[in-house]
């Protein structure tokens, strides 16, 4: 039986995407060759890459607006480094909303001065800081749209003249926002977009080429833009292909607007259970709750064994919380069917009855 997969990442992918991916591993487009044994410069793969880049820009409504879509390697953590390497000349601003922002800050400090414009660290990142000043001499301001570990999500973004950089790893393609307010967006594929191995970087070309340091080519965004077909070196062919399939799936479904409606329904379902059921309590402040990752704990730790047995029996997988929050985390990425959330909610209400 296929499990109800609430894994925080690598994430659930649509069944039809997995099926097409497995076919391509055997025989790609009837070539008599596997997708993963052909040249990345073959016309077959070049067309995959071009399609994946075009689909990303189309779905985010960023076509013909001066942006380039790149599929890079090294995970989102590599972008913590690459962003600072390419953009930090004097001062980088960071909004500290969790473990991942914190890691981005640490890397940026290697390259120059870092200003933490605000932080929710003192409350173990259970909310998004709201009122804070943004110095206007920053090279950029870096924010994390969704805090995968803590289950908080930015509902709006700072209105600033400073270039805005966003780590969107765990909620890209999940909700409608004006993506053109960002100058650079990056997202590790494995949270809401595809398999681990590639990172989508959407960058406004005008942002680049302003720092005085020499940048090693492998870390230089311009090197990927300038290289023909954006292939400076061998990209992660399999991860890019599966990401492309997933973006095609999303487009067919009706794009971000359509999936947002479903994602909101899933989030409503679980949060109303968390709020009404005395056995559980939510971790994140209500106004900042993530529609992707719902974090919650048991009000009585003694119930842990019996709850764990119940959800395992129901075929649920991947809801153990991150060690920095404890309790549980239900990750409800785009491909998770609402029925899976229904199964979890049923188990939670059964816990209340057993109480
Ligand atoms: C998982 C995650 C990361 C780290 O991603 P890697 O690809 O493992 O480097 C960074 N930021 C956010 C928001 C994440 O959820």
């Amino acid at each position: 039986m296929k499990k109800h997969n609430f894994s925080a990442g690598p994430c659930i992918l649509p069944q039809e995407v997995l099926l097409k991916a497995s076919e391509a591993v055997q025989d790609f487009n009837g070539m008599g060759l596997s997708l993963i044994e052909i040249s990345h410069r073959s016309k077959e793969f070049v067309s995959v890459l071009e399609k994946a880049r075009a689909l990303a820009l189309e779905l985010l409504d960023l076509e013909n607006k001066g942006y380039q879509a790149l599929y890079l390697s090294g995970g989102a953590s590599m972008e913590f480094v690459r962003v600072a390497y390419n953009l930090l000349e004097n001062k980088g601003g960071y909004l500290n909303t969790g473990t991942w922002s914190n890691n981005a800050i640490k890397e940026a400090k290697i390259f120059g001065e870092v200003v933490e414009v605000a932080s929710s660290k003192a409350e173990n990142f259970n909310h998004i800081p709201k009122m804070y000043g943004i110095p206007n001499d920053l090279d950029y301001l870096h924010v994390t749209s969704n805090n995968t570990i803590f289950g908080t999500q930015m509902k709006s973004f700072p209105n600033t003249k400073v270039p805005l950089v966003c780590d969107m790893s765990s909620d890209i393609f999940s909700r409608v926002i004006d993506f053109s307010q960002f100058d650079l967006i990056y997202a590790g594929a494995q949270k809401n977009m595809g398999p681990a191995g590639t990172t989508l970087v959407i960058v406004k070309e005008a942002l680049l080429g302003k720092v005085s340091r020499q940048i090693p080519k492998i870390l230089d965004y311009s090197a990927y833009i300038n290289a023909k077909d954006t292939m400076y070196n061998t990209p992660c062919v399999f991860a890019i292909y599966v990401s492309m399939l997933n973006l095609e799936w999303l487009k067919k479904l009706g794009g971000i607007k359509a999936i947002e409606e479903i994602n909101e329904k899933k989030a409503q379902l679980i949060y109303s259970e968390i709020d009404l059921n005395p056995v559980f309590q939510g971790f994140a402040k209500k106004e900042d709750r993530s529609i992707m990752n719902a974090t919650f704990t048991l009000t009585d730790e003694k119930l842990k064994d019996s709850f764990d047995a119940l959800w395992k029996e129901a075929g649920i997988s991947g809801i153990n919380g991150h060690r920095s929050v404890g309790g549980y985390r239900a990750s409800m990425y785009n491909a998770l069917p609402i029925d899976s959330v229904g199964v979890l909610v049923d188990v939670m209400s059964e816990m209340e009855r057993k109480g």
Side-chain angles (χ1 to χ4, degrees):
M1 183 188 98
K2 185 85 184 168
K3 294 267 169 80
H4 301 286
N5 185 1
F6 290 86
S7 170
C11 67
I12 182 170
L13 290 167
Q15 208 48 39
E16 67 173 78
V17 166
L18 294 180
L19 194 66
K20 282 186 189 159
S22 63
E23 282 166 9
V25 168
Q26 289 301 324
D27 182 2
F28 182 47
N29 286 354
M31 287 174 80
L33 294 163
S34 165
L35 167 78
I36 55 177
E37 58 177 14
I38 58 170
S39 167
H40 59 293
R41 300 196 190 275
S42 62
K43 69 174 187 333
E44 287 81 4
F45 184 74
V46 169
S47 96
V48 167
L49 182 61
E50 279 172 359
K51 195 154 188 199
R53 298 177 66 209
L55 271 170
L57 292 176
E58 181 188 341
L59 288 162
L60 299 172
D61 196 19
L62 289 178
E63 287 165 302
N64 305 316
K65 292 180 182 165
Y67 291 87
Q68 289 277 350
L70 309 172
Y71 286 87
L72 306 184
S73 307
S77 301
M78 178 62 100
E79 301 321 305
F80 299 162
V81 177
R82 211 154 6 205
V83 161
Y85 223 132
N86 284 260
L87 306 179
L88 206 170
E89 179 76 8
N90 297 310
K91 231 189 266 181
Y94 283 76
L95 179 63
N96 190 358
T97 52
T99 309
W100 299 119
S101 332
N102 211 44
N103 288 358
I105 290 169
K106 279 191 212 148
E107 299 288 36
K109 282 182 176 164
I110 298 171
F111 300 94
E113 189 182 339
V114 167
V115 179
E116 220 175 274
V117 294
S119 170
S120 48
K121 189 169 185 206
E123 290 85 23
N124 197 22
F125 301 115
N126 69 353
H127 69 284
I128 304 286
K130 304 286 169 357
M131 305 288 280
Y132 50 88
I134 299 166
N136 51 23
D137 62 344
L138 297 175
D139 294 320
Y140 60 90
L141 175 67
H142 178 285
V143 299
T144 311
S145 54
N146 184 70
N147 298 283
T148 327
I149 293 175
F150 300 92
T152 62
Q153 187 173 39
M154 296 177 78
K155 304 299 170 186
S156 65
F157 295 89
N159 186 0
T160 168
K161 289 203 168 62
V162 164
L164 202 51
V165 174
C166 187
D167 175 358
M168 224 176 261
S169 293
S170 51
D171 70 348
I172 194 164
F173 301 116
S174 71
R175 57 174 171 157
V176 177
I177 41 184
D178 174 11
F179 293 96
S180 73
Q181 66 192 301
F182 305 101
D183 297 82
L184 192 153
I185 296 168
Y186 63 89
Q190 75 276 16
K191 300 286 167 48
N192 199 33
M193 185 182 162
T198 192
T199 310
L200 174 63
V201 174
I202 310 268
V203 58
K204 218 174 201 171
E205 273 188 87
L207 186 67
L208 302 174
K210 292 184 183 156
V211 290
S212 53
R213 74 173 61 85
Q214 198 183 352
I215 306 172
K217 273 202 151 186
I218 192 83
L219 294 174
D220 186 350
Y221 291 124
S222 303
Y224 296 90
I225 294 171
N226 297 336
K228 241 192 169 166
D229 308 320
T230 79
M231 275 188 266
Y232 165 67
N233 70 335
T234 317
C236 312
V237 291
F238 183 71
I240 294 170
Y241 179 66
V242 183
S243 299
M244 183 210 79
L245 291 177
N246 197 35
L247 295 182
E248 278 181 335
W249 169 84
L250 180 57
K251 183 177 170 180
K252 212 168 61 189
L253 199 90
I256 297 182
K257 183 136 187 37
I259 202 76
E260 179 184 46
E261 278 175 35
I262 300 170
N263 288 336
E264 277 177 355
K265 282 197 189 115
K266 290 188 286 188
Q268 254 163 32
L269 194 59
I270 188 137
Y271 285 123
S272 61
E273 182 64 26
I274 290 170
D275 289 339
L276 293 172
N277 187 330
V279 174
F280 299 97
Q281 68 191 23
F283 172 78
K285 284 224 174 114
K286 283 188 186 175
E287 72 269 21
D288 299 326
R289 281 172 164 174
S290 166
I291 60 163
M292 294 273 96
N293 314 94
T295 44
F296 55 97
T297 53
L298 285 161
T299 41
D300 178 359
E301 266 304 303
K302 287 199 291 292
L303 298 175
K304 182 173 168 18
D305 289 348
S306 109
F307 179 53
D308 289 356
L310 269 187
W311 59 257
K312 280 174 194 158
E313 204 180 286
I316 287 168
S317 165
I319 65 161
N320 282 318
H322 190 275
R323 62 186 178 280
S324 33
V325 178
Y328 301 92
R329 168 174 53 173
S331 297
M332 302 170 289
Y333 297 121
N334 284 356
L336 183 83
I338 193 160
D339 291 350
S340 290
V341 183
V343 169
L344 175 57
V345 164
D346 285 348
V347 167
M348 290 166 80
S349 40
E350 196 179 330
M351 264 318 282
E352 183 184 4
R353 279 193 301 276
K354 286 176 74 170

